[in-house]
Amino acid sequence: MIFLVFVVILVYVLYQAYTYHYRKHWKENFEVKVEFSEEQAGVGDQLFLYETAVNNKKMSLPAICVKFLTSKYLRFEDGDSGTVSDHFYRNDVMSVDGFQKVRRKLRFTCKKRGMYTIDEAELVSFDLFCSHTFVHKLEVSASLCVYPSLLDVSRLIPVFSQMNGGVMTKVPLFEDPYAFAGVREYTPQDSMRRIHWKASARTGEWQVKTMEYHSSTPVVIMLNLESPGVFTNMDLMEDSIRIAYSLVYYLCSNGIQTRLVAAGDEKVRLEGRGRDQISAVRRALAVISYKDVCCNGVELLSEEEGRFAPGMQVIFISPAGKKPLQEQVLRVLRSGIPVTWVAPIITSNSEDSEFRELSPALEKCLVKWGGI
């Protein structure tokens, strides 16, 4: 009986000593890294999130949970390892032996544009008998910029040509076929006639010719994110952003200088040509917000009107189209600046649209995008 009591006391003392030692040292020399497989992606792309746990000590960690918070718009394949509300709460359980590195590879799909960051992780561990819980928070650094998706806006180019007539000869929306600039990777928007066969054979991947158009007059793309109604329609706003990005991408890919002026939570003005302009625009449009716009469409046009110059073309993207805005567009047209108004709509039914009883001049320059 005395021996049994002695054994119980010994086990209890050893357990308390182990628990004390574990509580004091479990997080020492233990590192966790969270990183995305890419720093940038487009909507619909599939990427990986890497979780790496490194235990640089002899003591094993029989059970440890790595928890962190990310956006619900990064859709993980194994959704069972987390909970979804306004955010996605990731919870991964692993066992890490002494001097061991464990790496998890988590596949996810980018569902929405935006800048996504993970800056904190929470470690939850348990002792050998899972009777005590230990929690530790640590800083991590992972960021991902998801760009808007591209739309096929090439079908709008003939519309611009028809609307603006002779202006197209001054600022053509097609590159000079005799001004060869270089090669780049093939994209679905490229024509097969532009493939550079020798470069493709040399690199093993499809390459296309890039041309230059030498002009100091940019095509001005204006993006008005003013809501057309009382409630913000996210589909219309996102379509507007995608159209703006796609136009910049299309025109810059064809060697044409562009100026993007966008009014979201803050005003964005970016001018340039080529890849630098595409990169700057898509990053700005990845994070632009329309929850609290800095100015409406009338203010946007009136502020920019003084920067218009002869020979410029203005592409005005706006789902909103009330009378004051229509009158402001007419004033720009009367000043001699050609305007093409691209209006994302929900339905082609005029009863559901703000674009009713238009003047002949506005009817000529208006292009409705979408609708059923």
Side-chain angles (χ1 to χ4, degrees):
M1 183 67 181
I2 297 176
F3 177 76
L4 181 60
V5 172
F6 175 77
V7 170
V8 170
I9 294 174
L10 179 62
V11 170
Y12 177 77
V13 170
L14 290 175
Y15 170 72
Q16 291 296 330
Y18 168 79
T19 302
Y20 174 80
H21 178 77
Y22 193 90
R23 178 187 292 110
K24 187 175 181 180
H25 298 288
W26 74 273
K27 62 179 182 286
E28 290 182 357
N29 299 320
F30 186 80
E31 300 176 358
V32 172
K33 292 182 180 179
V34 179
E35 51 191 352
F36 294 104
S37 58
E38 302 287 346
E39 294 182 353
Q40 55 191 29
V43 174
D45 288 352
Q46 286 192 340
L47 301 179
F48 293 96
L49 180 68
Y50 298 117
E51 289 180 4
T52 306
V54 182
N55 188 14
N56 290 313
K57 59 180 178 294
K58 186 176 181 180
M59 184 174 68
S60 299
L61 304 178
I64 186 166
C65 301
V66 179
K67 300 182 178 182
F68 57 86
L69 177 68
T70 186
S71 172
K72 65 180 180 180
Y73 297 114
L74 301 182
R75 191 72 54 79
F76 288 86
E77 287 188 349
D78 54 338
D80 296 336
S81 297
T83 58
V84 179
S85 56
D86 290 339
H87 298 85
F88 182 80
Y89 298 88
R90 185 81 199 183
N91 184 8
D92 292 305
V93 182
M94 58 184 71
S95 176
V96 188
D97 293 332
F99 300 106
Q100 184 186 22
K101 179 170 75 173
V102 176
R103 194 185 199 199
R104 296 279 177 85
K105 185 178 180 181
L106 313 171
R107 186 194 296 269
F108 67 91
T109 303
C110 305
K111 292 296 184 180
K112 188 180 179 182
R113 66 177 182 86
M115 178 66 74
Y116 302 101
T117 59
I118 304 173
D119 51 21
E120 184 181 77
E122 184 179 78
L123 304 181
V124 180
S125 187
F126 310 91
D127 63 5
L128 185 62
F129 301 101
C130 296
S131 58
H132 291 80
T133 303
F134 311 103
V135 180
H136 175 62
K137 293 184 178 180
L138 72 164
E139 292 183 357
V140 295
S141 179
S143 62
L144 171 66
C145 186
V146 179
Y147 302 134
S149 56
L150 285 170
L151 300 174
D152 183 11
V153 294
S154 60
R155 62 185 178 91
L156 289 176
I157 301 305
V159 178
F160 299 150
S161 304
Q162 182 179 4
M163 289 181 177
N164 299 324
V167 179
M168 297 300 297
T169 62
K170 300 177 184 177
V171 188
L173 290 180
F174 296 98
E175 72 275 14
D176 180 356
Y178 301 104
F180 178 70
V183 295
R184 59 171 172 79
E185 293 182 0
Y186 172 83
T187 65
Q189 288 76 29
D190 293 319
S191 169
M192 294 293 290
R193 291 178 296 179
R194 295 181 59 184
I195 290 179
H196 193 295
W197 298 103
K198 291 184 179 179
S200 300
R202 185 171 59 253
T203 61
E205 297 180 351
W206 291 115
Q207 304 288 318
V208 295
K209 301 174 185 177
T210 59
M211 306 299 177
E212 290 183 349
Y213 171 68
H214 303 286
S215 173
S216 59
T217 305
V219 175
V220 181
I221 299 168
M222 304 192 67
L223 174 60
N224 175 33
L225 292 176
E226 173 190 3
S227 176
V230 177
F231 302 103
T232 302
N233 187 297
M234 293 181 60
D235 291 336
L236 289 182
M237 298 297 107
E238 293 297 328
D239 273 351
S240 300
I241 293 170
R242 284 191 286 265
I243 293 169
Y245 170 51
S246 301
L247 283 169
V248 171
Y249 184 91
Y250 182 89
L251 296 173
C252 286
S253 297
N254 286 279
I256 298 169
Q257 185 173 347
T258 62
R259 178 192 299 168
L260 173 74
V261 183
D265 52 340
E266 59 182 16
K267 183 176 283 188
V268 175
R269 184 183 292 106
L270 297 166
E271 183 170 338
R273 65 170 74 244
R275 292 186 177 182
D276 290 342
Q277 174 71 347
I278 293 174
S279 178
V281 165
R282 68 185 180 187
R283 181 167 288 273
L285 293 183
V287 298
I288 197 169
S289 172
Y290 39 78
K291 291 183 179 180
D292 188 16
V293 296
C294 60
C295 63
N296 58 35
V298 175
E299 295 168 338
L300 177 65
L301 277 171
S302 60
E303 290 176 6
E304 292 299 317
E305 191 174 0
R307 294 183 173 89
F308 296 154
M312 279 187 173
Q313 292 183 79
V314 176
I315 303 173
F316 184 58
I317 304 168
S318 174
K322 290 184 171 62
K323 283 295 182 183
L325 184 54
Q326 294 178 22
E327 293 170 359
Q328 182 62 40
V329 173
L330 281 173
R331 279 194 288 270
V332 176
L333 287 170
R334 293 189 187 109
S335 69
I337 301 296
V339 179
T340 301
W341 187 342
V342 180
I345 59 173
I346 303 174
T347 170
S348 57
N349 188 340
S350 60
E351 295 300 320
D352 299 328
S353 172
E354 296 198 345
F355 303 95
R356 292 174 290 183
E357 300 179 359
L358 296 176
S359 66
L362 285 179
E363 285 184 352
K364 182 181 178 182
C365 77
L366 183 67
V367 180
K368 293 182 180 180
W369 182 280
I372 55 176

